[in-house]
Amino acid sequence: MDNTAKFTGRAEVYAASRPGYAPELFDYMEQSLNLPSGSVIADIGSGTGKFTAQLLERGYTVYAVEPNADMRRKAEELLAGNPGFHSVDGRDSAFGLPAELEGTVDCVTAAQAFHWFGAAAFAEECRRFLKPGGYVVLVYNHRDADAPVIRENAEICRTYCPGFTGFSHGMDAADFEGFFRGSCQTIRFDNSLEYDCDMLINRMLSASYGLKDTDEGYGEFLAALRKLFEKYQENGRMRIPNCTMAYYGTMI
């Protein structure tokens, strides 16, 4: 399956259940990466606009580049009222941005998306549109893999979801170092999450590997998630140890 089609039909549950990113990251981008309000950001693989929305809140002009029509339409529904928002039908290897933006974009971002990209083609598009010295910032919400609740959640996914290859598709620091040719810098912020049972289930169903209601084992998958929730919940909420990680650098 074309990677761009894997989220077709998931836009509503994605928008409703996916978490945002640590607010401290945006402070860091403004202060340490010299990206004041008004900077131009190209957000690639922007989905339903989770990261885009937080960029817009900081006063950035954001070109939200998303290849999946369902996801892009949801972002437009949620964000079209913001004058800084520009929805673009594009992808990692062809951003689809106006030609006049070549060499002028202050920063390229990708949140929870880089694992879907062709790294070489993405790098070329970054070089094409970034201004000299502009940053690429690759962002992930990472679960704490050592936490018992996360280990058990992963085991449920391995049992019922044939497409599961690990949370965030098993990306690690070496993948980012390779993309930035050894010049990668990393910043981490706590972003622990709390879910009720429905939120947990919807979060799992929003993943590319999440089962659909027509898939074999769908009922058993949901039952296992409910059991996990009951084991770890306190007062109707389950804590998910999580952090926001940003891997950033300039294009060499």
Side-chain angles (χ1 to χ4, degrees):
M1 181 187 291
D2 179 356
N3 286 337
T4 64
K6 289 184 176 180
F7 289 94
T8 298
R10 301 185 193 269
E12 292 294 333
V13 70
Y14 195 106
S17 65
R18 288 290 179 120
Y21 299 86
E24 294 85 354
L25 170 60
F26 303 91
D27 295 336
Y28 187 88
M29 291 174 63
E30 181 177 352
Q31 297 162 14
S32 298
L33 303 188
N34 192 29
L35 291 169
S37 178
S39 298
V40 176
I41 312 288
D43 187 25
I44 314 303
S46 52
T48 63
K50 286 287 182 176
F51 193 71
T52 298
Q54 290 180 271
L55 293 170
L56 291 169
E57 289 171 1
R58 297 300 178 114
Y60 296 131
T61 295
V62 185
Y63 289 83
V65 176
E66 172 55 46
N68 184 282
D70 285 352
M71 303 286 274
R72 193 171 60 252
R73 281 194 293 267
K74 188 62 180 179
E76 291 166 357
E77 174 189 322
L78 295 170
L79 302 174
N82 191 307
F85 172 69
H86 302 272
S87 181
V88 181
D89 181 2
R91 59 182 301 157
D92 59 318
S93 57
F95 290 177
L97 299 177
E100 58 266 26
L101 286 180
E102 291 186 18
T104 70
V105 171
D106 294 297
C107 182
V108 171
T109 61
Q112 222 74 23
F114 179 66
H115 53 279
W116 297 117
F117 294 176
F122 174 60
E124 285 305 307
E125 283 291 89
C126 290
R127 293 187 186 98
R128 178 183 169 199
F129 284 101
L130 278 172
K131 70 179 186 182
Y135 284 101
V136 178
V137 182
L138 307 176
V139 183
Y140 279 87
N141 273 321
H142 282 313
R143 300 166 177 87
D144 179 355
D146 293 327
V149 64
I150 302 303
R151 291 200 303 268
E152 293 179 37
N153 193 359
E155 186 57 34
I156 290 169
C157 293
R158 278 190 289 270
T159 299
Y160 295 104
C161 303
F164 181 73
T165 58
F167 295 128
S168 299
H169 286 255
M171 297 289 289
D172 61 26
D175 297 296
F176 302 104
E177 288 285 350
F179 175 74
F180 289 108
R181 299 182 182 180
S183 66
C184 179
Q185 300 184 66
T186 305
I187 190 73
R188 178 189 184 280
F189 302 100
D190 180 71
N191 192 32
S192 293
L193 310 172
E194 285 192 356
Y195 291 148
D196 63 22
C197 190
D198 287 344
M199 290 169 65
L200 171 67
I201 289 172
N202 286 334
R203 172 62 186 87
M204 292 296 99
L205 295 179
S206 78
S208 62
Y209 52 79
L211 299 185
K212 296 184 177 181
D213 58 7
T214 54
D215 290 331
E216 182 179 356
Y218 177 81
E220 292 87 344
F221 178 50
L222 266 56
L225 292 173
R226 291 189 181 101
K227 185 176 180 180
L228 178 73
F229 178 82
E230 287 303 320
K231 180 177 179 179
Y232 285 99
Q233 66 87 21
E234 292 185 9
N235 299 317
R237 307 287 288 185
M238 185 174 80
R239 182 178 178 275
I240 302 294
N242 180 78
C243 68
T244 293
M245 298 284 298
Y247 309 85
Y248 68 93
T250 55
M251 301 309 300
I252 298 174

